[in-house]
Structures are given as structure tokens and as C-alpha cells.
Amino acid sequence: MLGVFDSGVGGLTVVREIQALLPSLSLSYIGDSVHAPYGSRSAEEIFRLSLAQSEFLLCEGCTALVIACNTATAAAASRLRAHFSPTPIIGMEPAVKPAAAATKSGVIGVCATVGTLQSARFAALLDRFAGDVTVLTRSCPGWVEAVEAGDFETPETLALLRHEIEPLLAAGADTLVLGCTHFPALRPQIQALVGPDITLIDTGAAVARRVAELVPETGDGVLSLATTGEVHAFSRAAQAILDLEQLPRVQRLHWKDGRLENA
């Protein structure tokens, strides 16, 4: 069984890609919605939250993990891999490399959280892959919260999208990186805003391919969902992201002394 965790519902955009590629793989998912968004938290706090979720999933029988959060990957992936070696741990990173290859204008926009944009991991990505392009960044406040609330098409959410994206387009960006796993949940709204000539890129499909390389496709395709937040809000957003006829029952978890427990 594969364990997947994120700061909330956003990692379900990655789960969606994994299920499309590996429909028989059983998955267990934790959305730490009570602490969302992670982008404004310290690296040490994010590591502690990620460590506890990893321990819970491994105790549940998971044999590999996906950190379905760019911010948590930047803050915690290397330490988690050292701590849980040799367990396969797959992380996320903003798709700077494919965006740099795709742009025709030579300008790309990266939409991500503050935690991701200020990380050493992101700086290293720019050094490696963005030497020949101009990279513009936006921290997109309010986007994660809108997805967590399931508010994909409200006037308030559309205004938030325009506020962050229009400056990127005005500066000549023809390729936008959705550098937070929450943001692909807003892809239809973003694409409608920018038009068909602007390319949107995220790394969900690439992570799914990496899972296929490292994790045997065993199980019966069962998806287990859990949240540390409010179950109804999580379920509403998860239903929209996964587009399932019937959503699995969502388990409630709670934090106690820095560890996760069943509620």
C-alpha cells in the first residue's frame, strides 16, 4: 500500500494521477487540513508534521510514501529519507525544467507558496534548469484556502486568481507552473482565465510515473482517506477533485503530543 500525505486536500490532485496510471494500487491518504497552509510555517515545524504523518502511514502498513506537497518536500524530504531508509519516499518539486523547455517567449511564471519559493531546493532548481529563461514568481495567498473550502468557482476565488496571474501574463509569461499540489484543483478556472495559448504545467503525472517505477502495483485499488480537519469540508473538496461517484468514508485524525491518533 502506498501512503500519501499533504497539508490538506491538495495532494489528492496527485492521488488522481496515481490512480489513473495504477488503478490497482491501494492508497492511504492523510490531509493535514488543521495545519493548512504549510507555506507560512517554519521548516522545522513542517518537518515535525511530516514525520508524524509518515510514521502513522507506515504503522498502517504502507511500504512507500509520497510527500504530495511541494513545501513539505522542500522542508522535510531529505531528512525523512534518511530517517526511514530504505523506504521509498517520493517528493514534489515545481516543474521548472519542463516549463523552461516549453516556453516560447522565454518567460515562465511559477505559482507556489512562500515556503516553496524561499527554499534552497527551489533555488537549486532555478540554478540547474532556468539559466536561459526569465522566471517570475507569485506566492498566491488565498489559493490554498479556497481549495480547502471547496470554493473553486466563487467570485472571490476568481478574483484571487486574476490578481496573481494577470501580472505574469502582462510580463510575457506563456507558461505557468502550478507549484503547489492544491493549485491543479483550480486548473479549469486558471485555463479559462489565461486562454488556450498559455501552457499550464504541474508535476502530478511525473510523480505518478515515479511511483510506477518504485512501487509494485499490488492491492485492490482501495483508497483510504483521512483528515485532521473538519470532515465535511474535506469531503466536499475531495469529491470535486477526485470526481468520484461515491467518496470513501473519511476518517478523522487528531493531533496529540505531536503524534497522530484516530479520533
Side-chain angles (χ1 to χ4, degrees):
M1 182 166 61
L2 177 68
V4 185
F5 68 89
D6 177 42
S7 63
V9 296
L12 292 175
T13 64
V14 181
V15 168
R16 183 174 61 194
E17 298 288 349
I18 295 171
Q19 289 186 311
L21 186 63
L22 303 167
S24 297
L25 181 63
S26 294
L27 296 100
S28 181
Y29 181 88
I30 297 174
D32 186 22
S33 295
V34 76
H35 288 116
Y38 277 8
S40 59
R41 298 183 182 276
S42 70
E44 187 60 33
E45 181 181 9
I46 294 167
F47 169 70
R48 292 197 303 268
L49 295 170
S50 300
L51 178 64
Q53 291 176 85
S54 300
E55 289 175 338
F56 185 92
L57 288 166
L58 293 173
C59 287
E60 291 286 297
C62 295
T63 57
L65 300 174
V66 171
I67 310 170
C69 174
N70 288 269
T71 303
T73 298
S78 60
R79 293 173 69 182
L80 292 178
R81 288 176 178 134
H83 187 84
F84 294 113
S85 179
T87 301
I89 298 178
I90 301 161
M92 311 290 300
E93 61 185 24
V96 172
K97 181 180 179 180
T103 181
K104 295 180 175 62
S105 68
V107 181
I108 67 174
V110 179
C111 299
T113 67
V114 171
T116 295
L117 296 176
Q118 293 182 350
S119 69
R121 192 182 186 95
F122 182 68
L125 278 177
L126 297 184
D127 287 342
R128 289 177 64 194
F129 302 121
D132 297 327
V133 301
T134 298
V135 179
L136 308 174
T137 61
R138 304 290 291 191
S139 60
C140 304
W143 288 24
V144 170
E145 291 88 343
V147 173
E148 285 292 307
D151 294 335
F152 301 106
E153 299 200 42
T154 65
E156 294 79 10
T157 297
L158 298 180
L160 287 172
L161 297 180
R162 283 193 296 271
H163 184 266
E164 302 300 327
I165 291 173
E166 286 178 352
L168 298 175
L169 302 183
D174 67 347
T175 305
L176 301 182
V177 175
L178 305 182
C180 168
T181 55
H182 282 75
F183 297 172
L186 298 166
R187 177 185 283 268
Q189 292 76 27
I190 296 171
Q191 196 73 72
L193 174 63
V194 302
D197 295 331
I198 303 299
T199 301
L200 304 182
I201 299 178
D202 69 82
T203 52
V207 168
R209 292 192 293 272
R210 184 61 174 158
V211 170
E213 293 172 358
L214 296 178
V215 182
E217 187 178 3
T218 57
D220 49 12
V222 170
L223 173 62
S224 301
L225 299 175
T227 180
T228 62
E230 202 276 315
V231 169
H232 177 74
F234 180 92
S235 298
R236 177 170 174 255
Q239 181 76 56
I241 292 170
L242 294 173
D243 194 25
L244 296 175
E245 291 185 7
Q246 184 173 357
L247 192 73
R249 184 183 71 84
V250 177
Q251 179 184 5
R252 177 70 189 277
L253 304 178
H254 72 268
W255 290 94
K256 183 177 181 181
D257 301 326
R259 301 181 67 87
L260 278 176
E261 296 182 348
N262 294 309

